[in-house]
Amino acid sequence: MTDARITVHTEASIDRIAPEVHGHFSEHLGRCIYGGIWHADSADEGGFREDTVSLLADLDLPVLRWPGGCFADDYHWEDGIGPQADRPRRRNLFWAQGPEEIPEESNAFGTDEFLEFCERIGTEPYLAANVGSGDPQEAANWVEYCNYDGDTELADRRRENGREEPYGVKYWGLGNENWGCGGQMTPEQYADEYRRFATYVGTMDNLMLDHDLELIACGFEQHEWNRRFLEKVNESPWGVDFPLDHLTLHHYYGRTISVAEADEDQYDRFLADALEMERHIERMAGAINAVATTRDIGVIIDEWGAWHTEATADNGLEQPGNVLDALSAAAVLDIFNDYSDVVTMTNIAQTVNVLQCLVETDETDAWARPTYRVFDLYAPHKGNEAVRTTVETPSRELADDRKLPLVGASASVGDDETYVTVTNLDCREDHAVELSLEGTRLDEGDVRAEILFADQDPAREVTADNADEFTAADLAVSTDGDSIEAELPPSTVAAISIR
Ligand code: AHR
């Protein structure tokens, strides 16, 4: 018997799903860069990990944020350019690199290595400049080093370092969590700093007309902070032309549980925490609309994902990759589709080995985590037009008075298909789902469906040896011409494509 009904309103467009919504984040933390992307923290031994490059290139990441995170507000970019032997070792103030190693940064992986990495995997870079302990001139110089094509000392240094053409970096974050690790600032203080930095970095936009910079301010999950920041930053004499293109927040969930030890009630609460993303986007968009009435400022979620008890600073924030976390990512990506009119980019944390990474490595191998499979399954949404979707679903009452909707979905329309993704967030029961597309007759031959994680326990963890067991399988569906029916086992993610 059908217990969830999904209706796709194919004519009710929301907006184009920015491909950048499937973006990623990598920080100098634990084994993300050194050991994950780059072989070691010494260039003599290393270089890019080809296995990681190949997995990430296959996924076609649209954008990658770097170098942090909290590390960004302690990072001086000039430490990481030029001959490797001349680069200074520094303390990594925020992150221990692992219990037996000293928390130091070799600077072997710097700006040119990161930007080359982006080119190798075919992604757009997003650089986060140091506001907490840096100054506006340093940030402006970084833009000049990366993007300027003229005859200056900084442009020449880039050329001496092997890169003739400017990189054309478009996305520039000014600070990270400046309410916390990035300087413990009040919103008013950060607004003043942001204006100062944006003045000098923003000037680069005028100087380099072929590089259209997008400037990004870092907000907070406490929305009163965002409101105060926006009000203060808006006092600028620039008025509507003020260089602020996006405001971000970070949303992590699952901090109190280890999935391996959790029970089904805790799974439910974890998934409900992930779904809080919707409320954060709405509140952020509301604060922006109240202040910026005549212009677009996008919402970016530039750190998000599961963060569990296993991930501590001592182990470089490593935690196992499992089905439950991947399921939460699918539910969150559905939310991003529904808010494609305001969400301009998101960056799951973090790309390799850290937190809800997509790729995990050891000394010899790199492999895809279940969350990687979700991004792969959701990839056809990128660049499509998101359309309104109604989901009638049973829900479960949680002990904390929230309700967990057990089935979720989102849909988008591309050139020659409608693409619908569906989650069964119920870790206990199957759900029979009926899907219809408003005003569309359905022919079985036009429908293709796939499913992730059927018959997998939510706590099942990925290893180098079992990684291929998490790939998508065909999903059997039937249609009577008006609707499509499918049975979704517990904690699964499905994609249905209709030509
Ligand atoms: O992703 C790990 C850390 O989480 C980042 O450095 C910081 O921005 C956030 O608090």
mmCIF file of all heavy atoms in Angstrom, residues 434-479:
data_model
loop_
_atom_site.group_PDB
_atom_site.id
_atom_site.type_symbol
_atom_site.label_atom_id
_atom_site.label_comp_id
_atom_site.label_asym_id
_atom_site.label_seq_id
_atom_site.Cartn_x
_atom_site.Cartn_y
_atom_site.Cartn_z
ATOM 1 N N GLU A 434 4.534 6.741 -4.268
ATOM 2 C CA GLU A 434 3.868 6.968 -5.552
ATOM 3 C C GLU A 434 4.284 8.353 -6.044
ATOM 4 O O GLU A 434 4.155 9.327 -5.317
ATOM 5 C CB GLU A 434 2.362 6.920 -5.348
ATOM 6 C CG GLU A 434 1.574 7.008 -6.619
ATOM 7 C CD GLU A 434 0.087 7.084 -6.294
ATOM 8 O OE1 GLU A 434 -0.505 6.034 -5.985
ATOM 9 O OE2 GLU A 434 -0.452 8.202 -6.326
ATOM 10 N N LEU A 435 4.792 8.408 -7.262
ATOM 11 C CA LEU A 435 5.317 9.674 -7.795
ATOM 12 C C LEU A 435 4.530 10.077 -9.035
ATOM 13 O O LEU A 435 4.355 9.264 -9.947
ATOM 14 C CB LEU A 435 6.796 9.468 -8.165
ATOM 15 C CG LEU A 435 7.454 10.521 -9.045
ATOM 16 C CD1 LEU A 435 7.641 11.835 -8.276
ATOM 17 C CD2 LEU A 435 8.818 10.018 -9.540
ATOM 18 N N SER A 436 4.052 11.312 -9.077
ATOM 19 C CA SER A 436 3.412 11.765 -10.318
ATOM 20 C C SER A 436 3.987 13.117 -10.728
ATOM 21 O O SER A 436 4.443 13.899 -9.888
ATOM 22 C CB SER A 436 1.900 11.848 -10.153
ATOM 23 O OG SER A 436 1.587 12.670 -9.077
ATOM 24 N N LEU A 437 3.971 13.352 -12.026
ATOM 25 C CA LEU A 437 4.443 14.621 -12.593
ATOM 26 C C LEU A 437 3.231 15.338 -13.144
ATOM 27 O O LEU A 437 2.584 14.812 -14.076
ATOM 28 C CB LEU A 437 5.434 14.363 -13.740
ATOM 29 C CG LEU A 437 6.912 14.220 -13.398
ATOM 30 C CD1 LEU A 437 7.159 13.155 -12.359
ATOM 31 C CD2 LEU A 437 7.722 13.961 -14.657
ATOM 32 N N GLU A 438 2.930 16.488 -12.583
ATOM 33 C CA GLU A 438 1.726 17.210 -12.971
ATOM 34 C C GLU A 438 1.651 17.375 -14.491
ATOM 35 O O GLU A 438 2.620 17.841 -15.112
ATOM 36 C CB GLU A 438 1.761 18.597 -12.329
ATOM 37 C CG GLU A 438 0.460 19.008 -11.712
ATOM 38 C CD GLU A 438 0.668 20.220 -10.819
ATOM 39 O OE1 GLU A 438 1.432 21.121 -11.200
ATOM 40 O OE2 GLU A 438 0.082 20.238 -9.741
ATOM 41 N N GLY A 439 0.533 16.979 -15.056
ATOM 42 C CA GLY A 439 0.291 17.180 -16.490
ATOM 43 C C GLY A 439 1.109 16.279 -17.392
ATOM 44 O O GLY A 439 1.251 16.553 -18.573
ATOM 45 N N THR A 440 1.692 15.210 -16.860
ATOM 46 C CA THR A 440 2.558 14.351 -17.689
ATOM 47 C C THR A 440 2.054 12.911 -17.681
ATOM 48 O O THR A 440 1.826 12.337 -16.611
ATOM 49 C CB THR A 440 4.012 14.368 -17.146
ATOM 50 O OG1 THR A 440 4.410 15.707 -16.985
ATOM 51 C CG2 THR A 440 4.964 13.634 -18.055
ATOM 52 N N ARG A 441 1.868 12.343 -18.886
ATOM 53 C CA ARG A 441 1.576 10.912 -18.994
ATOM 54 C C ARG A 441 2.895 10.164 -18.950
ATOM 55 O O ARG A 441 3.889 10.593 -19.542
ATOM 56 C CB ARG A 441 0.878 10.590 -20.339
ATOM 57 C CG ARG A 441 -0.564 11.010 -20.421
ATOM 58 C CD ARG A 441 -1.499 10.189 -19.563
ATOM 59 N NE ARG A 441 -1.558 8.758 -19.885
ATOM 60 C CZ ARG A 441 -2.117 7.846 -19.111
ATOM 61 N NH1 ARG A 441 -2.646 8.185 -17.951
ATOM 62 N NH2 ARG A 441 -2.155 6.578 -19.480
ATOM 63 N N LEU A 442 2.910 9.082 -18.233
ATOM 64 C CA LEU A 442 4.182 8.386 -18.032
ATOM 65 C C LEU A 442 4.204 7.077 -18.806
ATOM 66 O O LEU A 442 3.246 6.298 -18.763
ATOM 67 C CB LEU A 442 4.366 8.103 -16.539
ATOM 68 C CG LEU A 442 4.431 9.365 -15.682
ATOM 69 C CD1 LEU A 442 4.104 9.052 -14.229
ATOM 70 C CD2 LEU A 442 5.813 9.991 -15.782
ATOM 71 N N ASP A 443 5.318 6.866 -19.478
ATOM 72 C CA ASP A 443 5.495 5.625 -20.225
ATOM 73 C C ASP A 443 6.660 4.878 -19.566
ATOM 74 O O ASP A 443 7.718 5.464 -19.333
ATOM 75 C CB ASP A 443 5.849 5.995 -21.677
ATOM 76 C CG ASP A 443 5.955 4.784 -22.557
ATOM 77 O OD1 ASP A 443 6.568 3.768 -22.131
ATOM 78 O OD2 ASP A 443 5.446 4.855 -23.671
ATOM 79 N N GLU A 444 6.431 3.617 -19.258
ATOM 80 C CA GLU A 444 7.449 2.861 -18.510
ATOM 81 C C GLU A 444 8.833 2.926 -19.165
ATOM 82 O O GLU A 444 9.863 2.992 -18.501
ATOM 83 C CB GLU A 444 7.006 1.397 -18.367
ATOM 84 C CG GLU A 444 7.726 0.698 -17.250
ATOM 85 C CD GLU A 444 6.827 -0.335 -16.565
ATOM 86 O OE1 GLU A 444 5.614 -0.090 -16.416
ATOM 87 O OE2 GLU A 444 7.364 -1.383 -16.206
ATOM 88 N N GLY A 445 8.845 2.968 -20.492
ATOM 89 C CA GLY A 445 10.126 2.988 -21.215
ATOM 90 C C GLY A 445 10.904 4.272 -21.006
ATOM 91 O O GLY A 445 12.107 4.339 -21.282
ATOM 92 N N ASP A 446 10.231 5.312 -20.523
ATOM 93 C CA ASP A 446 10.900 6.609 -20.332
ATOM 94 C C ASP A 446 11.451 6.774 -18.923
ATOM 95 O O ASP A 446 12.012 7.815 -18.591
ATOM 96 C CB ASP A 446 9.914 7.764 -20.578
ATOM 97 C CG ASP A 446 9.479 7.815 -22.025
ATOM 98 O OD1 ASP A 446 10.232 7.284 -22.858
ATOM 99 O OD2 ASP A 446 8.410 8.370 -22.290
ATOM 100 N N VAL A 447 11.229 5.766 -18.095
ATOM 101 C CA VAL A 447 11.597 5.908 -16.679
ATOM 102 C C VAL A 447 12.815 5.031 -16.368
ATOM 103 O O VAL A 447 12.867 3.858 -16.740
ATOM 104 C CB VAL A 447 10.415 5.477 -15.774
ATOM 105 C CG1 VAL A 447 10.794 5.604 -14.300
ATOM 106 C CG2 VAL A 447 9.174 6.301 -16.088
ATOM 107 N N ARG A 448 13.778 5.663 -15.695
ATOM 108 C CA ARG A 448 14.977 4.934 -15.263
ATOM 109 C C ARG A 448 15.153 5.234 -13.774
ATOM 110 O O ARG A 448 15.031 6.391 -13.348
ATOM 111 C CB ARG A 448 16.175 5.463 -16.052
ATOM 112 C CG ARG A 448 17.439 4.658 -16.017
ATOM 113 C CD ARG A 448 18.463 5.230 -16.998
ATOM 114 N NE ARG A 448 18.513 6.690 -16.975
ATOM 115 C CZ ARG A 448 19.225 7.412 -16.114
ATOM 116 N NH1 ARG A 448 19.942 6.833 -15.180
ATOM 117 N NH2 ARG A 448 19.219 8.744 -16.169
ATOM 118 N N ALA A 449 15.416 4.218 -12.976
ATOM 119 C CA ALA A 449 15.512 4.484 -11.529
ATOM 120 C C ALA A 449 16.679 3.706 -10.912
ATOM 121 O O ALA A 449 16.984 2.579 -11.312
ATOM 122 C CB ALA A 449 14.202 4.081 -10.850
ATOM 123 N N GLU A 450 17.315 4.367 -9.946
ATOM 124 C CA GLU A 450 18.445 3.743 -9.257
ATOM 125 C C GLU A 450 18.284 3.930 -7.756
ATOM 126 O O GLU A 450 17.628 4.877 -7.313
ATOM 127 C CB GLU A 450 19.758 4.408 -9.667
ATOM 128 C CG GLU A 450 20.197 4.106 -11.077
ATOM 129 C CD GLU A 450 21.533 4.768 -11.376
ATOM 130 O OE1 GLU A 450 21.572 6.007 -11.417
ATOM 131 O OE2 GLU A 450 22.521 4.028 -11.555
ATOM 132 N N ILE A 451 18.931 3.074 -7.018
ATOM 133 C CA ILE A 451 18.825 3.171 -5.556
ATOM 134 C C ILE A 451 20.185 2.955 -4.899
ATOM 135 O O ILE A 451 21.008 2.176 -5.390
ATOM 136 C CB ILE A 451 17.772 2.161 -5.019
ATOM 137 C CG1 ILE A 451 17.519 2.407 -3.531
ATOM 138 C CG2 ILE A 451 18.187 0.728 -5.287
ATOM 139 C CD1 ILE A 451 16.231 1.791 -3.029
ATOM 140 N N LEU A 452 20.393 3.665 -3.791
ATOM 141 C CA LEU A 452 21.604 3.492 -2.984
ATOM 142 C C LEU A 452 21.239 2.867 -1.645
ATOM 143 O O LEU A 452 20.208 3.216 -1.059
ATOM 144 C CB LEU A 452 22.248 4.841 -2.688
ATOM 145 C CG LEU A 452 22.970 5.563 -3.816
ATOM 146 C CD1 LEU A 452 23.363 6.973 -3.375
ATOM 147 C CD2 LEU A 452 24.213 4.795 -4.258
ATOM 148 N N PHE A 453 22.078 2.009 -1.175
ATOM 149 C CA PHE A 453 22.090 1.479 0.201
ATOM 150 C C PHE A 453 20.959 0.493 0.520
ATOM 151 O O PHE A 453 20.667 0.262 1.710
ATOM 152 C CB PHE A 453 22.076 2.616 1.241
ATOM 153 C CG PHE A 453 22.994 3.767 0.912
ATOM 154 C CD1 PHE A 453 22.581 5.087 1.047
ATOM 155 C CD2 PHE A 453 24.284 3.524 0.451
ATOM 156 C CE1 PHE A 453 23.423 6.144 0.744
ATOM 157 C CE2 PHE A 453 25.142 4.582 0.141
ATOM 158 C CZ PHE A 453 24.694 5.893 0.289
ATOM 159 N N ALA A 454 20.306 -0.078 -0.499
ATOM 160 C CA ALA A 454 19.296 -1.102 -0.201
ATOM 161 C C ALA A 454 20.008 -2.248 0.530
ATOM 162 O O ALA A 454 21.130 -2.608 0.172
ATOM 163 C CB ALA A 454 18.676 -1.592 -1.494
ATOM 164 N N ASP A 455 19.377 -2.777 1.547
ATOM 165 C CA ASP A 455 19.935 -3.879 2.344
ATOM 166 C C ASP A 455 21.217 -3.540 3.100
ATOM 167 O O ASP A 455 21.972 -4.437 3.479
ATOM 168 C CB ASP A 455 20.206 -5.130 1.466
ATOM 169 C CG ASP A 455 18.973 -5.540 0.718
ATOM 170 O OD1 ASP A 455 17.887 -5.482 1.322
ATOM 171 O OD2 ASP A 455 19.092 -5.882 -0.475
ATOM 172 N N GLN A 456 21.490 -2.265 3.294
ATOM 173 C CA GLN A 456 22.680 -1.901 4.086
ATOM 174 C C GLN A 456 22.202 -1.355 5.430
ATOM 175 O O GLN A 456 21.287 -0.535 5.472
ATOM 176 C CB GLN A 456 23.463 -0.776 3.404
ATOM 177 C CG GLN A 456 23.772 -1.034 1.948
ATOM 178 C CD GLN A 456 25.221 -1.447 1.742
ATOM 179 O OE1 GLN A 456 25.858 -1.900 2.687
ATOM 180 N NE2 GLN A 456 25.699 -1.304 0.549
ATOM 181 N N ASP A 457 22.876 -1.758 6.492
ATOM 182 C CA ASP A 457 22.554 -1.204 7.800
ATOM 183 C C ASP A 457 22.969 0.274 7.823
ATOM 184 O O ASP A 457 24.011 0.618 7.270
ATOM 185 C CB ASP A 457 23.341 -2.003 8.851
ATOM 186 C CG ASP A 457 22.893 -1.648 10.236
ATOM 187 O OD1 ASP A 457 21.937 -2.277 10.709
ATOM 188 O OD2 ASP A 457 23.478 -0.713 10.830
ATOM 189 N N PRO A 458 22.191 1.162 8.472
ATOM 190 C CA PRO A 458 22.573 2.580 8.505
ATOM 191 C C PRO A 458 23.965 2.809 9.096
ATOM 192 O O PRO A 458 24.650 3.758 8.728
ATOM 193 C CB PRO A 458 21.511 3.224 9.403
ATOM 194 C CG PRO A 458 20.390 2.270 9.474
ATOM 195 C CD PRO A 458 20.906 0.913 9.138
ATOM 196 N N ALA A 459 24.375 1.934 10.017
ATOM 197 C CA ALA A 459 25.677 2.134 10.666
ATOM 198 C C ALA A 459 26.820 1.476 9.885
ATOM 199 O O ALA A 459 27.984 1.543 10.300
ATOM 200 C CB ALA A 459 25.641 1.586 12.083
ATOM 201 N N ARG A 460 26.493 0.850 8.748
ATOM 202 C CA ARG A 460 27.554 0.141 8.013
ATOM 203 C C ARG A 460 28.640 1.114 7.563
ATOM 204 O O ARG A 460 28.360 2.168 6.992
ATOM 205 C CB ARG A 460 26.967 -0.574 6.799
ATOM 206 C CG ARG A 460 28.024 -1.386 6.090
ATOM 207 C CD ARG A 460 27.463 -2.504 5.264
ATOM 208 N NE ARG A 460 28.555 -3.341 4.817
ATOM 209 C CZ ARG A 460 28.806 -3.626 3.547
ATOM 210 N NH1 ARG A 460 27.998 -3.204 2.598
ATOM 211 N NH2 ARG A 460 29.845 -4.383 3.225
ATOM 212 N N GLU A 461 29.892 0.741 7.826
ATOM 213 C CA GLU A 461 31.017 1.633 7.531
ATOM 214 C C GLU A 461 31.760 1.182 6.283
ATOM 215 O O GLU A 461 31.886 -0.007 6.016
ATOM 216 C CB GLU A 461 31.985 1.660 8.722
ATOM 217 C CG GLU A 461 31.366 2.327 9.937
ATOM 218 C CD GLU A 461 32.223 2.234 11.187
ATOM 219 O OE1 GLU A 461 33.386 1.772 11.105
ATOM 220 O OE2 GLU A 461 31.709 2.629 12.253
ATOM 221 N N VAL A 462 32.289 2.150 5.578
ATOM 222 C CA VAL A 462 33.039 1.850 4.367
ATOM 223 C C VAL A 462 34.501 1.588 4.715
ATOM 224 O O VAL A 462 35.038 2.164 5.669
ATOM 225 C CB VAL A 462 32.914 3.022 3.357
ATOM 226 C CG1 VAL A 462 33.597 4.274 3.859
ATOM 227 C CG2 VAL A 462 33.441 2.647 1.978
ATOM 228 N N THR A 463 35.121 0.694 3.945
ATOM 229 C CA THR A 463 36.565 0.446 4.051
ATOM 230 C C THR A 463 37.112 0.376 2.628
ATOM 231 O O THR A 463 36.346 0.344 1.661
ATOM 232 C CB THR A 463 36.865 -0.905 4.732
ATOM 233 O OG1 THR A 463 36.325 -1.941 3.873
ATOM 234 C CG2 THR A 463 36.235 -1.004 6.113
ATOM 235 N N ALA A 464 38.424 0.287 2.525
ATOM 236 C CA ALA A 464 39.029 0.164 1.186
ATOM 237 C C ALA A 464 38.482 -1.087 0.482
ATOM 238 O O ALA A 464 38.288 -1.098 -0.733
ATOM 239 C CB ALA A 464 40.539 0.078 1.310
ATOM 240 N N ASP A 465 38.189 -2.138 1.243
ATOM 241 C CA ASP A 465 37.793 -3.408 0.637
ATOM 242 C C ASP A 465 36.333 -3.487 0.237
ATOM 243 O O ASP A 465 35.972 -4.233 -0.674
ATOM 244 C CB ASP A 465 38.096 -4.567 1.597
ATOM 245 C CG ASP A 465 39.576 -4.672 1.847
ATOM 246 O OD1 ASP A 465 40.335 -4.288 0.929
ATOM 247 O OD2 ASP A 465 39.968 -5.096 2.947
ATOM 248 N N ASN A 466 35.456 -2.738 0.939
ATOM 249 C CA ASN A 466 34.026 -2.888 0.615
ATOM 250 C C ASN A 466 33.448 -1.675 -0.128
ATOM 251 O O ASN A 466 32.241 -1.605 -0.349
ATOM 252 C CB ASN A 466 33.205 -3.188 1.880
ATOM 253 C CG ASN A 466 33.114 -1.966 2.810
ATOM 254 O OD1 ASN A 466 33.464 -0.860 2.425
ATOM 255 N ND2 ASN A 466 32.630 -2.166 4.019
ATOM 256 N N ALA A 467 34.308 -0.700 -0.495
ATOM 257 C CA ALA A 467 33.797 0.580 -1.036
ATOM 258 C C ALA A 467 32.887 0.375 -2.257
ATOM 259 O O ALA A 467 31.921 1.128 -2.448
ATOM 260 C CB ALA A 467 34.956 1.501 -1.391
ATOM 261 N N ASP A 468 33.151 -0.656 -3.059
ATOM 262 C CA ASP A 468 32.336 -0.857 -4.271
ATOM 263 C C ASP A 468 30.936 -1.370 -3.951
ATOM 264 O O ASP A 468 30.061 -1.384 -4.819
ATOM 265 C CB ASP A 468 33.025 -1.860 -5.207
ATOM 266 C CG ASP A 468 34.266 -1.247 -5.814
ATOM 267 O OD1 ASP A 468 34.386 0.003 -5.762
ATOM 268 O OD2 ASP A 468 35.121 -2.012 -6.309
ATOM 269 N N GLU A 469 30.720 -1.807 -2.726
ATOM 270 C CA GLU A 469 29.397 -2.341 -2.366
ATOM 271 C C GLU A 469 28.375 -1.245 -2.082
ATOM 272 O O GLU A 469 27.222 -1.522 -1.797
ATOM 273 C CB GLU A 469 29.518 -3.270 -1.149
ATOM 274 C CG GLU A 469 30.333 -4.514 -1.475
ATOM 275 C CD GLU A 469 30.744 -5.288 -0.221
ATOM 276 O OE1 GLU A 469 30.026 -5.212 0.794
ATOM 277 O OE2 GLU A 469 31.792 -5.948 -0.269
ATOM 278 N N PHE A 470 28.804 0.018 -2.159
ATOM 279 C CA PHE A 470 27.883 1.125 -1.882
ATOM 280 C C PHE A 470 27.443 1.834 -3.169
ATOM 281 O O PHE A 470 26.839 2.895 -3.110
ATOM 282 C CB PHE A 470 28.542 2.136 -0.926
ATOM 283 C CG PHE A 470 28.842 1.566 0.437
ATOM 284 C CD1 PHE A 470 30.017 0.861 0.672
ATOM 285 C CD2 PHE A 470 27.937 1.710 1.480
ATOM 286 C CE1 PHE A 470 30.296 0.324 1.920
ATOM 287 C CE2 PHE A 470 28.204 1.181 2.739
ATOM 288 C CZ PHE A 470 29.383 0.485 2.956
ATOM 289 N N THR A 471 27.766 1.267 -4.305
ATOM 290 C CA THR A 471 27.395 1.916 -5.573
ATOM 291 C C THR A 471 25.895 1.728 -5.841
ATOM 292 O O THR A 471 25.240 0.854 -5.260
ATOM 293 C CB THR A 471 28.193 1.327 -6.755
ATOM 294 O OG1 THR A 471 28.045 -0.082 -6.703
ATOM 295 C CG2 THR A 471 29.658 1.694 -6.689
ATOM 296 N N ALA A 472 25.359 2.559 -6.746
ATOM 297 C CA ALA A 472 23.924 2.519 -7.032
ATOM 298 C C ALA A 472 23.542 1.232 -7.772
ATOM 299 O O ALA A 472 24.315 0.706 -8.580
ATOM 300 C CB ALA A 472 23.539 3.733 -7.856
ATOM 301 N N ALA A 473 22.333 0.745 -7.480
ATOM 302 C CA ALA A 473 21.786 -0.426 -8.182
ATOM 303 C C ALA A 473 20.490 -0.005 -8.876
ATOM 304 O O ALA A 473 19.884 1.009 -8.501
ATOM 305 C CB ALA A 473 21.487 -1.520 -7.170
ATOM 306 N N ASP A 474 20.066 -0.784 -9.869
ATOM 307 C CA ASP A 474 18.789 -0.480 -10.518
ATOM 308 C C ASP A 474 17.655 -0.648 -9.520
ATOM 309 O O ASP A 474 17.668 -1.563 -8.691
ATOM 310 C CB ASP A 474 18.555 -1.415 -11.704
ATOM 311 C CG ASP A 474 19.492 -1.054 -12.850
ATOM 312 O OD1 ASP A 474 20.013 0.088 -12.845
ATOM 313 O OD2 ASP A 474 19.721 -1.921 -13.714
ATOM 314 N N LEU A 475 16.663 0.230 -9.629
ATOM 315 C CA LEU A 475 15.483 0.137 -8.760
ATOM 316 C C LEU A 475 14.282 -0.232 -9.630
ATOM 317 O O LEU A 475 14.023 0.430 -10.649
ATOM 318 C CB LEU A 475 15.242 1.495 -8.077
ATOM 319 C CG LEU A 475 13.932 1.662 -7.315
ATOM 320 C CD1 LEU A 475 13.896 0.752 -6.083
ATOM 321 C CD2 LEU A 475 13.748 3.127 -6.888
ATOM 322 N N ALA A 476 13.554 -1.282 -9.218
ATOM 323 C CA ALA A 476 12.370 -1.689 -9.981
ATOM 324 C C ALA A 476 11.226 -0.718 -9.699
ATOM 325 O O ALA A 476 10.928 -0.428 -8.535
ATOM 326 C CB ALA A 476 11.962 -3.096 -9.565
ATOM 327 N N VAL A 477 10.617 -0.183 -10.762
ATOM 328 C CA VAL A 477 9.461 0.705 -10.590
ATOM 329 C C VAL A 477 8.356 0.226 -11.540
ATOM 330 O O VAL A 477 8.629 -0.469 -12.515
ATOM 331 C CB VAL A 477 9.802 2.182 -10.922
ATOM 332 C CG1 VAL A 477 10.832 2.744 -9.964
ATOM 333 C CG2 VAL A 477 10.270 2.336 -12.362
ATOM 334 N N SER A 478 7.128 0.602 -11.234
ATOM 335 C CA SER A 478 6.051 0.284 -12.181
ATOM 336 C C SER A 478 5.261 1.564 -12.421
ATOM 337 O O SER A 478 5.292 2.486 -11.601
ATOM 338 C CB SER A 478 5.139 -0.787 -11.588
ATOM 339 O OG SER A 478 4.593 -0.310 -10.380
ATOM 340 N N THR A 479 4.572 1.617 -13.558
ATOM 341 C CA THR A 479 3.746 2.803 -13.813
ATOM 342 C C THR A 479 2.443 2.405 -14.496
ATOM 343 O O THR A 479 2.411 1.478 -15.306
ATOM 344 C CB THR A 479 4.496 3.859 -14.645
ATOM 345 O OG1 THR A 479 3.624 4.951 -14.884
ATOM 346 C CG2 THR A 479 5.008 3.324 -15.963
#
